[in-house]
Amino acid sequence: MNVKYSNPHVSFDGLNWFLTVGIELPDPMPIASGNDGIGIDLGVKDLAICSSCHIYKNINKTSRVRRLKKKQRRLQRKISRKYEKNKKGESYQKTRNIVKSEKQLLRVTHRLTDIMTNYIQQITTEIVKREPSFIVMEDLNVTGMMRNKHLAKAIQEQKFAEFIRIMRYKCDWHGIRFITADRFYASSKICSVCGHKKDGLKLSDRIYCCEHCGTVIDRDKNASMNLCHYGQSIVKH
Ligand SMILES: [Zn+2]
């Protein structure tokens, strides 16, 4: 394949060396698919809920990740205790023991990042392989969502921004149209069956009950259906 490389860059984080290069690919041929588009809602309970009925779980709840997080917290505490213990006057000393523990901590942090990134790569590849005619995701109003402490932690841990970034470039690679629903589109408040808008929906309401047409549906599934409808209305124009 005709690939151009640019901007090689070497960095070191105290444990590993990283080599990054930019690659330039020729523009892809768009997929001429008659498939439906897919709306993807990112959530706290599950990571990604697709309008195509696929649900991808929150990997932070698995025992493997929980074990690593526990180890990470333990190492963090151990290191700060050691710093306190070896404090000379106002200055902190870095002992050989501290250096060793910090390397261990870095290794655990890397493991966690790798697990999460790998998971997002797998999901996004799987979604792209279904050859949807378009993909719709919500524009992350990160600042607004970050004000909610509970949500902010989940968003950071689950790497929502990273998910959107990867999904977007994979769409580009495969010639799939990527649509962003702007943050004022109330994907969770609208009934995906009749279009009625419910204003009093709380974050804790996990089930959407429409008082207009009587539809009862999982909140995130409803949001993903709405995102798909949003994409359809844009594609038509
Ligand atoms: Zn309804």
Side-chain angles (χ1 to χ4, degrees), residues 190-197 208-216 222:
I190 297 167
C191 169
S192 59
V193 177
C194 74
H196 176 75
K197 191 172 164 191
Y208 184 98
C209 304
C210 179
E211 61 254 292
H212 190 253
C213 72
T215 294
V216 178
N222 182 57

Side-chain angles (χ1 to χ4, degrees), residues 115-175:
I115 290 172
M116 199 62 215
T117 310
N118 191 26
Y119 186 51
I120 293 175
Q121 290 286 358
Q122 276 174 14
I123 297 173
T124 46
T125 296
E126 215 179 288
I127 293 173
V128 160
K129 274 193 184 151
R130 288 193 199 110
E131 301 189 350
S133 50
F134 61 82
I135 282 174
V136 192
M137 294 191 76
E138 227 158 357
D139 173 23
L140 259 201
N141 177 14
V142 179
T143 48
M145 282 170 111
M146 285 300 189
R147 258 181 250 128
N148 180 322
K149 219 175 133 193
H150 174 65
L151 266 184
K153 193 167 172 242
I155 289 169
Q156 249 168 10
E157 279 186 346
Q158 300 213 68
K159 296 185 183 289
F160 282 16
E162 182 80 345
F163 191 110
I164 296 171
R165 188 183 68 82
I166 295 174
M167 193 73 254
R168 188 191 283 272
Y169 78 63
K170 280 192 185 166
C171 281
D172 277 353
W173 283 358
H174 295 271

Side-chain angles (χ1 to χ4, degrees), residues 3-196:
V3 181
K4 272 188 210 157
Y5 296 93
S6 60
N7 296 325
H9 178 73
V10 179
S11 57
F12 182 62
D13 72 351
L15 186 67
N16 295 315
W17 287 91
F18 295 91
L19 172 65
T20 32
V21 285
I23 55 168
E24 217 175 281
L25 291 163
D27 279 344
M29 294 291 286
I31 289 176
S33 86
N35 292 351
D36 284 343
I38 297 179
I40 309 170
D41 183 61
L42 297 181
V44 174
K45 192 171 134 266
D46 293 308
L47 169 60
I49 299 92
C50 300
S51 58
S52 53
C53 289
H54 297 86
I55 293 172
Y56 299 98
K57 296 207 166 347
N58 178 351
I59 203 173
N60 286 304
K61 290 179 180 167
T62 60
S63 62
R64 182 166 159 236
V65 171
R66 271 204 231 152
R67 221 169 23 236
L68 278 169
K69 291 220 162 158
K70 206 168 156 191
K71 200 170 169 188
Q72 189 183 36
R73 281 196 300 274
R74 213 165 41 222
L75 279 166
Q76 279 162 342
R77 279 200 302 270
K78 191 174 159 189
I79 290 167
S80 67
R81 256 201 321 271
K82 277 187 191 163
Y83 269 119
E84 280 302 324
K85 216 173 126 195
N86 293 296
K87 201 173 162 187
K88 291 218 172 84
E90 280 303 295
S91 68
Y92 290 97
Q93 309 287 320
K94 214 184 198 73
T95 62
R96 205 175 293 176
N97 242 323
I98 291 177
V99 173
K100 200 177 130 202
S101 298
E102 279 181 340
K103 278 203 171 161
Q104 273 177 334
L105 176 62
L106 208 53
R107 223 168 273 139
V108 174
T109 309
H110 276 315
R111 286 280 306 128
L112 281 165
T113 311
D114 288 348
I115 290 172
M116 199 62 215
T117 310
N118 191 26
Y119 186 51
I120 293 175
Q121 290 286 358
Q122 276 174 14
I123 297 173
T124 46
T125 296
E126 215 179 288
I127 293 173
V128 160
K129 274 193 184 151
R130 288 193 199 110
E131 301 189 350
S133 50
F134 61 82
I135 282 174
V136 192
M137 294 191 76
E138 227 158 357
D139 173 23
L140 259 201
N141 177 14
V142 179
T143 48
M145 282 170 111
M146 285 300 189
R147 258 181 250 128
N148 180 322
K149 219 175 133 193
H150 174 65
L151 266 184
K153 193 167 172 242
I155 289 169
Q156 249 168 10
E157 279 186 346
Q158 300 213 68
K159 296 185 183 289
F160 282 16
E162 182 80 345
F163 191 110
I164 296 171
R165 188 183 68 82
I166 295 174
M167 193 73 254
R168 188 191 283 272
Y169 78 63
K170 280 192 185 166
C171 281
D172 277 353
W173 283 358
H174 295 271
I176 297 167
R177 186 164 173 191
F178 185 89
I179 299 166
T180 314
D182 73 68
R183 69 178 110 117
F184 300 110
Y185 179 67
S187 65
S188 51
K189 288 182 180 168
I190 297 167
C191 169
S192 59
V193 177
C194 74
H196 176 75

